[in-house]
Amino acid sequence: MKIAIVGLGVAGVSVLRELSRQLDTKQKTDYKIIIYTSEKEWGTGFPYQNDDESLLINQYTESMTIDLDNKDDFMNWVKRNKTVDAPYHTHLPRKWFGDYLRETAEQCMKELNTEIRFEKVEDIEQTDMGHYTVFSNQSAEKVDAVHLTTGHLAYQDPYHLKGEAGYIYNPYPAEEVLTFPENTPSVGIIGSGLTALDAMLYIQKKYPAIKLTFYSRNGLFSSVRGDEPAVNLHYFCDDRVKDLLNQMPELTIGKVKEWFYKEMEEHQIDANWVWKHLGKGTLEGMALDLQYSKELGEFQSMIRHMRTCYPFIWNALADNEKDQFLSEYSEQWQRFKAPIPQDTAKLLIEQINENAIRMVSGLESINKTADGFKLLDSEQNSYTEEYLINCTGQSMKVSDSLHLQSKLLQNLINKGMLTPQKYGGVKIDYPSMSIIDKSEFKHALFKTYGQMVSGVQFGNNNVELISHSARTGVRHMLAAMQKQN
């Protein structure tokens, strides 16, 4: 038996880990695991690749682990390998988590019959009902199962500037691409999310004389990370939610809110007050987040612990209910779910108030000029920049951005092997993680994860959930293989 893993970031390492745990001793020898990855990102993936240590994980360290059976695995790794004795409630360099992932991958590879190929996969074809052929830029390999773990989708290009001189389409790795002449007076950052803050922190460290301007359509940052306590859920735990869903003929946003508020009340959290006053993303809002970090942290901790339930709830909602959530709640919900570390928020507030950094909201257009770029806001104010950094985030709707995606993804979608999902990524069967092709056939031996399934695991692309998905994906794959035999 041959199993292909295409990509070796969080999802790929999670699949490796599950194979090392779920295969028996004989299978570990008999099953050949062929890993396709780039040398630069092997064992780390895109977000945790080797880069400057000013780029931090926005999650608290204790919430990060690749090992579902040991929630302190990463914290213990930090204590063993870094000069940090008390990593609890810290924000550590992202590259450290990449080092941890790579070490985990190496340990798993020692237990399995693996072959690593530093090749770029360009296509995958189904050769018959039980096999697939993986085509790379160097080889073609017939395999029995595929785990598509390519990680992040392509960045957006909302102003159609990709390829223009002075436009940095993808800001990572920062050490390689965020380089400017010493006399550069200013740089523009398009966007105001976590990627934009990465660009800010790196440029201020390496080029302190450069004046930075954030250009954004809504002028909003994220919420601030509060002081999150540990919690135990009563209503929003997996078994309880599954039981409730089985009892209901149809789920509505109103019913979800009812469950949500019941959980919050159980923990004496005034969810209405938090929603009304915190997580607004303005400078004043971030200052209020810092002032009420205890109340905010309790709320954020609750929604973080609820996240394994989100896919079951999301997929039980009718499209009109999903659309209601997107229009009424999604933006602020995302700000609560992806907050800024407190120290970064304090620095941002201070520098904008002192005019060391500028924020321009209402961005409407950007045009290339002979000397750089001309930007216009909604009041027709004009700005010029020689360099722009694209920090608008990934494009989750692959049907709208196929031309920006990888050759592999383009080929799989164009031939109908993968089918774009209305709310992002591609269609899969959840929780088996099996792809669903254009004919609605479910491929039990072809799995995918992460941002590729963002329309099913909506807005919830985190290490823990990817690890859970890999566990069920590998389990379902092995069951399908046994059934075939």
Side-chain angles (χ1 to χ4, degrees), residues 278-401:
L278 305 180
K280 298 304 181 183
T282 61
L283 289 188
E284 296 81 5
M286 288 192 292
L288 204 61
D289 288 351
L290 290 166
Q291 182 180 347
Y292 291 96
S293 60
K294 177 180 179 294
E295 292 82 355
L296 177 60
E298 290 171 344
F299 184 87
Q300 289 170 335
S301 181
M302 293 292 291
I303 64 175
R304 179 169 64 83
H305 283 82
M306 293 174 182
R307 61 192 178 189
T308 57
C309 300
Y310 296 159
F312 298 104
I313 293 171
W314 182 254
N315 294 304
L317 292 168
D319 282 0
N320 65 307
E321 296 290 334
K322 292 176 181 175
D323 293 339
Q324 180 186 346
F325 171 80
L326 293 175
S327 65
E328 296 181 18
Y329 305 105
S330 179
E331 286 190 14
Q332 188 165 344
W333 185 259
Q334 292 300 330
R335 289 197 293 271
F336 280 123
K337 285 179 72 279
I340 303 168
Q342 291 185 19
D343 287 345
T344 304
K346 291 173 184 176
L347 176 67
L348 186 62
I349 293 169
E350 176 186 336
Q351 297 210 0
I352 291 179
N353 284 335
E354 294 178 354
N355 294 317
I357 292 177
R358 181 172 57 172
M359 162 57 87
V360 173
S361 61
L363 180 62
E364 285 199 344
S365 67
I366 306 176
N367 292 294
K368 186 73 175 83
T369 65
D371 300 325
F373 303 90
K374 180 180 179 180
L375 303 90
L376 289 176
D377 65 19
S378 56
E379 297 181 356
Q380 297 305 296
N381 295 311
S382 177
Y383 309 87
T384 59
E385 296 286 357
E386 186 177 355
Y387 297 98
L388 288 176
I389 307 170
N390 177 33
C391 297
T392 56
Q394 283 80 21
S395 180
M396 299 300 177
K397 291 193 175 182
V398 295
S399 55
D400 296 339
S401 60

Side-chain angles (χ1 to χ4, degrees), residues 201-316:
L201 292 170
Y202 179 78
I203 292 171
Q204 289 191 330
K205 176 181 177 181
K206 296 294 183 180
Y207 304 94
I210 288 179
K211 179 70 179 285
L212 295 174
T213 300
F214 292 102
Y215 295 95
S216 169
R217 287 174 174 166
N218 63 17
L220 300 177
F221 295 98
S222 193
S223 68
V224 179
R225 173 74 65 187
D227 301 325
E228 295 188 15
V231 297
N232 292 309
L233 302 178
H234 302 113
Y235 296 98
F236 253 88
C237 50
D238 287 5
D239 292 341
R240 176 69 171 154
V241 165
K242 289 175 185 177
D243 287 343
L244 290 169
L245 291 175
N246 288 333
Q247 297 168 19
M248 300 192 63
E250 103 180 349
L251 183 64
T252 65
I253 286 295
K255 180 57 69 172
V256 176
K257 286 177 64 178
E258 180 184 319
W259 296 347
F260 179 77
Y261 281 114
K262 191 175 289 187
E263 186 72 71
M264 291 292 176
E265 289 169 7
E266 184 77 15
H267 290 80
Q268 299 180 325
I269 296 172
D270 189 345
N272 278 315
W273 185 90
V274 173
W275 189 269
K276 183 177 179 181
H277 294 93
L278 305 180
K280 298 304 181 183
T282 61
L283 289 188
E284 296 81 5
M286 288 192 292
L288 204 61
D289 288 351
L290 290 166
Q291 182 180 347
Y292 291 96
S293 60
K294 177 180 179 294
E295 292 82 355
L296 177 60
E298 290 171 344
F299 184 87
Q300 289 170 335
S301 181
M302 293 292 291
I303 64 175
R304 179 169 64 83
H305 283 82
M306 293 174 182
R307 61 192 178 189
T308 57
C309 300
Y310 296 159
F312 298 104
I313 293 171
W314 182 254
N315 294 304

Side-chain angles (χ1 to χ4, degrees), residues 463-476:
V463 171
E464 181 187 11
L465 194 59
I466 291 172
S467 298
H468 273 289
S469 300
R471 174 163 290 181
T472 57
V474 169
R475 184 184 301 129
H476 281 268

Side-chain angles (χ1 to χ4, degrees), residues 59-204:
Q59 299 283 338
Y60 282 133
T61 303
E62 64 270 19
S63 69
M64 301 286 291
T65 180
I66 199 73
D67 189 341
L68 294 173
D69 302 317
N70 182 4
K71 64 182 180 62
D72 295 330
D73 194 48
F74 178 51
M75 283 210 300
N76 292 335
W77 181 91
V78 170
K79 291 176 183 177
R80 291 194 307 270
N81 293 278
K82 305 295 180 181
T83 55
V84 180
D85 295 328
Y88 184 81
H89 258 41
T90 58
H91 296 282
L92 300 178
R94 284 211 297 270
K95 74 179 296 292
W96 290 11
F97 194 74
D99 294 340
Y100 158 76
L101 286 175
R102 188 183 295 110
E103 184 177 300
T104 303
E106 290 170 344
Q107 291 170 349
C108 293
M109 288 171 68
K110 291 176 183 177
E111 301 176 26
L112 299 165
N113 176 14
T114 58
E115 176 186 347
I116 189 162
R117 297 184 182 180
F118 296 119
E119 302 174 8
K120 191 171 186 177
V121 175
E122 297 178 341
D123 203 359
I124 301 171
E125 291 184 355
Q126 185 176 25
T127 52
D128 53 54
M129 290 305 291
H131 300 89
Y132 299 89
T133 300
V134 179
F135 296 93
S136 77
N137 59 339
Q138 299 179 40
S139 65
E141 186 75 43
K142 189 175 182 179
V143 300
D144 299 279
V146 175
H147 292 268
L148 185 59
T149 55
T150 46
H152 278 47
L153 295 168
Y155 271 87
Q156 301 177 74
D157 185 26
Y159 301 98
H160 310 292
L161 297 170
K162 186 179 180 182
E164 297 285 0
Y167 180 70
I168 301 170
Y169 166 68
N170 180 345
Y172 299 108
E175 288 181 326
E176 293 182 15
V177 299
L178 298 186
T179 59
F180 308 97
E182 288 186 11
N183 61 348
T184 302
S186 67
V187 169
I189 298 174
I190 309 172
S192 54
L194 298 176
T195 301
L197 298 181
D198 277 351
M200 177 195 79
L201 292 170
Y202 179 78
I203 292 171
Q204 289 191 330

